[in-house]
Amino acid sequence: MAKNSVRQDENTNSISNKDLIFRLFDYLKPYKLKVFFILVLLIYVMICGLLNPYLMKLAIDKYISQKNLQGLVIIAIVMFILNFLSMIASAASIRMMAKVTNTVLLEIRQQLYKHIQKLSFSFFDNRPVGKILARVIGDVNSLQELFSTSITSFIPEILTLICVTFIMFYMNFQLALVSILVLPFLAITLFSIETISRKRWQIYRKKRSNLNAYTHEDFSGIRVIKGFAEEEKTSSNFLLFTKDMMNSFVKAVRLNDSFWPIVTLSSGVGTVLVFGYGVSLIKWGSMTIGTMVAFISYVSMFWRPIINISNFYNTLITNFAAGERIFEILDIEPDIIDIKNHIMPKIKGTVQFKNLTFSYDNHTNTLNNINFKINPGETIALVGSTGSGKTTIVNLISRFYDATKGEVLIDGKDVKNFTIESLRSQMGIMLQDTFLFSSTIRENIRYGKLDATDEEVIAAAKSANAHNFIINLEKGYDTEVNERGSRLSVGQRQLISFARALLANPRILILDEATSNIDTYTEKLVQEGIQKLLIGRTSFVIAHRLSTIRNADKIMVIDNGNIAEAGTHKELMKLKGLYHDLFMSQYKFLNEAN
């Protein structure tokens, strides 16, 4: 997938109208009995509508002309009862269809959300979060009118059109032919508009997605914006995005608005032709006035479904782009294939890379033919310059990505052969970019083990030396941390994240720059907790402060995707290679700073 920024329009795959319609309406299959009952109600409403002109014909030709008041009253009562029941049936069908539609939208949104969760990091790396939100929320919402009108309007209108056409030809074949003369012109015109209109709605969806992505990014980075006093600039950018969306919407709507005048004009022309020819038939004695009144009513009923079908067609075009964007995401296959029902046994802790090569973009290798084997309980430190491949190694162990070539083995078993959940549930991961959910401290720590007791949560916090600062907060462990933990300092957030990893009681522990944002005093306390946690666990520690990993069982120096050096601290210092130079430069820097 090509990378996409907030300012770049997304490339979406077009789906044929037929395939799109079938895929959308597959979601209605579980509700076919409810839909059938709704259609029964709507057919009753349609029949009542069809009977009204015929009853009017009877009233004029039979009862009014013969001054039969009793028959006229009976006709009036019958019409009242039929139309009253029709009103009730219409209201009931609309309520039922609204419930079905909302349930379907819920299922589509849930399916989309669950599918996105299964997608690999490469999906999120290449697409702004705001554009993903636009599909999950905005595009799904756009389908509401399509589903509701398809059942409550489109199908009944089609049936009405067929029945009215049959009645018209039955009443007067010649007059019926006159009434449909303008249909070919209407069909060609609407089809031509649809071709252009769909493209314009696709553009609008893209522009709206760009605005959504920019807004999300803007508010996520509000501290940086305020810190550099760039509010005016971001407001100007927001206005540009808004104008792009508005202009694309106006262009799309302007074309769609031409549907109504064209259909109305066709209806007017058709009615005038029928009226003119009908008057001639009455003069020639070929048709009664009652039949003419009824036929004009049927002509009106003939064009009404055409107008409504045109509106539905308009709605269909408007929302096709939303459907395409949803199915494009659903059609993306995860890079990481989860082998169902293959549960990773309890991990002992042996980790091995065999001839492993990895590339994020299938062009440039981040890791080149990496080979190593770590025994259970060993602590491995990964050091090297930024971008050398350290984090990529631990990401492959966690199976956030799969190797391009070679194997990642845990206890001699390829990680690809087991479910992701059974693998990661036995790992504890603490990343440099600490993320806390907008919940309480207790719930954030418990995320490492959802069924943990309060006592276990507190014990983990104590081991991470987070307990003391937590109990001094206003509500202690029940303190809300706000979105992304903004209420807490960076160091406090990292301590909570560390407690979360502790609570998981992992067989393999991964610490990626876990102490980078903690002050010296707090780091000392955390290091004590880390030493306790490392006992009996295979651990991978990434740290730029080399003084914190001197006691590691093995230190691997990663340079340009290769293992340049490997050994203990003493062994690497004797080599006087990359590690020696890194360590001495840090040692010299710290001495100068003091």
Side-chain angles (χ1 to χ4, degrees), residues 75 90 160 315 348 350 397 464 489:
I75 287 287
S90 178
T160 300
T315 301
K348 296 177 182 177
T350 302
I397 296 171
S489 69

Side-chain angles (χ1 to χ4, degrees), residues 304-569:
R304 187 174 63 208
I306 291 177
I307 292 171
N308 291 335
I309 290 169
S310 298
N311 288 336
F312 172 76
Y313 188 54
N314 206 354
T315 301
L316 205 64
I317 295 167
T318 302
N319 294 293
F320 265 168
E324 283 179 336
R325 287 163 56 83
I326 291 168
F327 289 127
E328 182 190 23
I329 298 292
L330 290 174
D331 289 340
I332 296 175
E333 293 292 336
D335 296 335
I336 308 298
I337 306 300
D338 202 4
I339 307 298
K340 294 183 179 179
N341 302 321
H342 285 233
I343 307 301
M344 169 69 78
K346 186 175 180 180
I347 292 175
K348 296 177 182 177
T350 302
V351 178
Q352 185 177 6
F353 277 36
K354 290 180 67 176
N355 304 319
L356 187 140
T357 297
F358 177 77
S359 172
Y360 285 101
D361 57 9
N362 293 322
H363 296 293
T364 305
N365 289 341
T366 304
L367 298 176
N368 301 293
N369 197 33
I370 299 293
N371 288 277
F372 65 78
K373 184 175 182 180
I374 309 303
N375 297 319
E378 287 187 337
T379 297
I380 308 304
L382 302 174
V383 302
S385 59
T386 301
S388 59
K390 306 184 298 297
T391 299
T392 301
I393 289 176
V394 296
N395 281 341
L396 289 167
I397 296 171
S398 308
R399 211 187 167 204
F400 290 141
Y401 300 91
D402 276 339
T404 305
K405 295 180 182 178
E407 297 175 304
V408 178
L409 306 176
I410 293 181
D411 296 339
K413 304 177 182 68
D414 194 326
V415 295
K416 292 182 180 179
N417 296 329
F418 301 94
T419 64
I420 295 172
E421 182 182 358
S422 66
L423 172 67
R424 293 179 189 161
S425 64
Q426 301 187 65
M427 292 184 175
I429 303 170
M430 184 175 173
L431 304 175
Q432 180 180 4
D433 183 17
T434 303
F435 185 93
L436 297 183
F437 296 94
S438 54
S439 181
T440 63
I441 290 175
R442 189 190 311 277
E443 292 305 314
N444 270 285
I445 295 175
R446 187 175 276 138
Y447 205 78
K449 182 185 177 186
L450 296 179
D451 59 350
T453 63
D454 287 347
E455 290 74 19
E456 289 176 313
V457 170
I458 293 171
K462 286 181 177 178
S463 297
N465 291 310
H467 179 72
N468 289 337
F469 92 78
I470 293 173
I471 60 174
N472 286 324
L473 296 173
E474 181 182 353
K475 295 184 180 180
Y477 282 86
D478 293 319
T479 300
E480 295 281 343
V481 301
N482 297 343
E483 188 174 6
R484 299 183 68 89
S486 61
R487 184 172 180 177
L488 305 176
S489 69
V490 175
Q492 288 173 331
R493 294 201 296 267
Q494 215 153 18
L495 287 173
I496 291 174
S497 178
F498 182 60
R500 181 166 60 194
L502 277 167
L503 186 60
N505 192 23
R507 304 305 306 160
I508 296 176
L509 179 66
I510 295 172
L511 304 176
D512 187 352
E513 294 290 344
T515 61
S516 61
N517 295 315
I518 301 177
D519 59 78
T520 305
Y521 173 74
T522 307
E523 182 182 356
K524 182 180 178 181
L525 297 177
V526 172
Q527 286 297 336
E528 293 174 2
I530 289 177
Q531 292 307 315
K532 295 176 186 177
L533 181 62
L534 296 181
I535 297 173
R537 294 181 173 87
T538 303
S539 305
F540 290 84
V541 181
I542 298 176
H544 282 117
R545 297 184 192 176
L546 302 185
S547 59
T548 63
I549 46 93
R550 293 178 63 172
N551 296 324
D553 296 304
K554 183 183 289 186
I555 299 170
M556 293 194 298
V557 182
I558 313 300
D559 183 46
N560 292 322
N562 299 288
I563 301 177
E565 298 172 359
T568 63
H569 171 74

